[in-house]
Amino acid sequence: MNFALYRELLAVRPIRRLLLVGMVARIPHSAAGVLLTLHIVLTLKQGYAAAGAAAAVMTIGIAVGAPWRGRRVDTVGLRTALIPSVISEAVIWSVVPHVSYQWLLPLVFVGGLLTLPIFSVVRQSLGVLADGDQRRTAFALDAITTEVVFMIGPAAGAIVATSGFTVLGLTIVGVSTSLAGLFLMWFNPPTRSPAQDEERSVDERHAAEAAVVSAAPAHLQEAAAELVPAGATHRGPGLRGKVAHNFAWFTATVAAVFAVAAGAGMVLSGTDVGIVAALETGGRQAEIGIVFLFWCAASVVGGLIYGAMHRPVSPILLLLGMAALTIPMGFANDTWALAFTAILPGLLCAPVLSSASEKVADLVAEERRGEAMGWYGSALTGGVALGAPLAGVFIDGTGPSGGFVSVGVAGVVLCFAGLILQQRRRGKIGAQ
């Protein structure tokens, strides 16, 4: 292991500034979930089911919007792509706390759809600013800063909400996130290497011509391919060919990484719900913070170790370990036992996410990486949306232990399925 990589990485000013800006920009939205939930329950008096529905609607918006936001970064550049997010963050989150629940749902969906794509932008830029072992260390540091954010944000949101300031808190989330977006536009971290920028400038005229066609109604696009002058030697690929070309980066290996991201999100959100249920059932709600501290701190340590390693570890193997080690948490009978059993799966949390991010950066070319990171974020978000209700069903049926066991077993099954498919694919390639 080479921990000096951290010193070398942080000595690079653009990387240091990017990680700092990314961490600060994530804090408001890490508090938004708690603030929104408690605003609906305490201020609107709607109950936890309604709060859960609102969280699901916002999650769907984020999952749908992430690939589109990433693609916009690829095609029009970071500054232009962030303008809708900067405006919507300030406007929507300033309006949300002043409307009824019925109006809140569509607003949080649009808010999720246009959310500041800070996670994908940071990962995409790190993929450009760092390479080799530095890239692994950079993604590990990003995962570590994310853990720090989730130690600070939800706790701060809970304090603000329980003090009766949910309206002010949600407004601050919107304004501060919008300001972070403006700073990101000013900072303008690179999302592609200089070589890619030169290639892009050469193709600008052709891109402008293609934009005229792509802006037409969908049913006219196929006809547009037939508008090549008679006798021309080249004809465009047509709509189907364009779609196939646009998703040429989406290989079976990339799909496997997205599956790992979804599995990680599922295990993490299910564990989150399981911890709350286990302590709330025993009347130890005040001790929830102890377990989360052990869990998140272990992830920070695991991320530091992984970032100092000389060789990458397969994200599917890391997820397999995290999912399997989550199952024993279901058999803890008190707060401290739960906290200590959370350490082992926690150690693999940041490594899973950083390994998967590194894999996407390695597999996808720079000109498509923003879109790929957006889909990666959607996969992670989709897993998060799946894990909580999956754990909740088993908690209601079998008790708090069911939450940990259900998501742990589901994660293990997903990993074994992925490993089997991987081996079969290698066998087919070898046979050829």
Side-chain angles (χ1 to χ4, degrees):
M1 292 185 186
N2 183 11
F3 287 97
L5 284 170
Y6 288 106
R7 184 175 65 250
E8 296 170 8
L9 191 74
L10 292 173
V12 181
R13 185 180 178 186
I15 292 179
R16 185 174 66 244
R17 184 164 55 178
L18 177 64
L19 290 169
L20 180 61
V21 171
M23 185 174 72
V24 173
R26 287 164 173 162
I27 290 175
H29 265 293
S30 71
V34 173
L35 279 167
L36 183 64
T37 296
L38 294 178
H39 174 74
I40 292 170
V41 172
L42 301 177
T43 305
L44 299 183
K45 311 295 183 185
Q46 291 291 322
Y48 282 97
V57 167
M58 183 171 68
T59 300
I60 292 169
I62 293 171
V64 171
W68 168 62
R69 309 296 301 138
R71 180 63 181 144
R72 289 290 291 169
V73 172
D74 287 337
T75 54
V76 301
L78 181 65
R79 285 175 170 165
T80 303
L82 291 186
I83 291 173
S85 296
V86 167
I87 296 172
S88 68
E89 292 282 6
V91 173
I92 290 176
W93 291 102
S94 296
V95 174
V96 161
H98 301 285
V99 300
S100 65
Y101 180 75
Q102 288 71 24
W103 283 103
L104 180 145
L105 291 176
L107 281 172
V108 297
F109 175 78
V110 176
L113 192 69
L114 297 175
T115 193
L116 188 72
I118 186 65
F119 286 90
S120 59
V121 167
V122 170
R123 293 188 193 106
Q124 185 178 1
S125 187
L126 284 175
V128 174
L129 292 170
D131 55 17
D133 287 344
Q134 269 200 337
R135 180 176 287 174
R136 186 174 313 115
T137 307
F139 283 127
L141 268 176
D142 181 53
I144 290 166
T145 58
T146 301
E147 290 296 337
V148 174
V149 164
F150 280 95
M151 288 181 187
I152 298 171
I159 291 171
V160 171
T162 53
S163 300
F165 298 109
T166 57
V167 173
L168 177 63
L170 287 169
T171 304
I172 290 174
V173 164
V175 173
S176 57
T177 305
S178 182
L179 289 174
L182 287 172
F183 187 80
L184 199 61
M185 291 170 69
W186 171 77
F187 170 30
N188 195 28
T191 56
R192 60 178 66 221
S193 65
Q196 288 290 334
D197 279 331
E198 289 175 10
E199 182 180 337
R200 182 180 179 182
S201 65
V202 170
D203 293 335
E204 277 181 350
R205 181 175 62 84
H206 299 292
E209 293 169 356
V212 175
V213 175
S214 63
H219 67 276
L220 296 180
Q221 291 188 23
E222 288 184 328
E226 302 297 326
L227 297 180
V228 182
T233 57
H234 171 73
R235 176 169 293 182
L239 182 59
R240 185 173 299 177
K242 288 177 182 177
V243 172
H245 174 72
N246 286 341
F247 282 90
W249 58 267
F250 187 67
T251 63
T253 308
V254 173
V257 178
F258 289 172
V260 168
M266 177 187 67
V267 174
L268 292 174
S269 64
T271 302
D272 192 330
V273 172
I275 291 172
V276 173
L279 297 180
E280 188 177 29
T281 301
R284 301 187 297 273
Q285 300 94 317
E287 299 171 358
I288 289 174
I290 295 174
V291 181
F292 273 90
L293 177 63
F294 274 71
W295 191 33
C296 293
S299 180
V300 169
V301 172
L304 284 170
I305 294 171
Y306 183 76
M309 292 174 64
H310 292 291
R311 294 181 179 179
V313 180
S314 169
I316 198 167
L317 292 178
L318 291 169
L319 175 59
L320 177 61
M322 185 175 77
L325 291 169
T326 297
I327 296 173
M329 293 179 68
F331 303 98
N333 52 18
D334 59 47
T335 301
W336 289 104
L338 188 59
F340 284 117
T341 53
I343 292 175
L344 290 178
L347 284 170
L348 296 176
C349 174
V352 168
L353 299 177
S354 57
S355 175
S357 298
E358 179 186 8
K359 196 74 173 175
V360 173
D362 289 341
L363 292 170
V364 181
E366 284 182 10
E367 67 269 17
R368 312 298 299 190
R369 199 174 289 160
E371 184 179 8
M373 285 298 184
W375 282 106
Y376 170 85
S378 292
L380 183 62
T381 303
V384 169
L386 174 64
L390 174 64
V393 168
F394 281 88
I395 288 169
D396 290 341
T398 63
S401 63
F404 300 111
V405 174
S406 62
V407 295
V409 170
V412 169
V413 171
L414 175 66
C415 289
F416 274 115
L419 288 170
I420 291 170
L421 288 173
Q422 210 172 59
Q423 290 299 320
R424 290 183 63 183
R425 182 170 176 272
R426 286 175 184 169
K428 288 180 180 179
I429 294 173
Q432 292 173 355

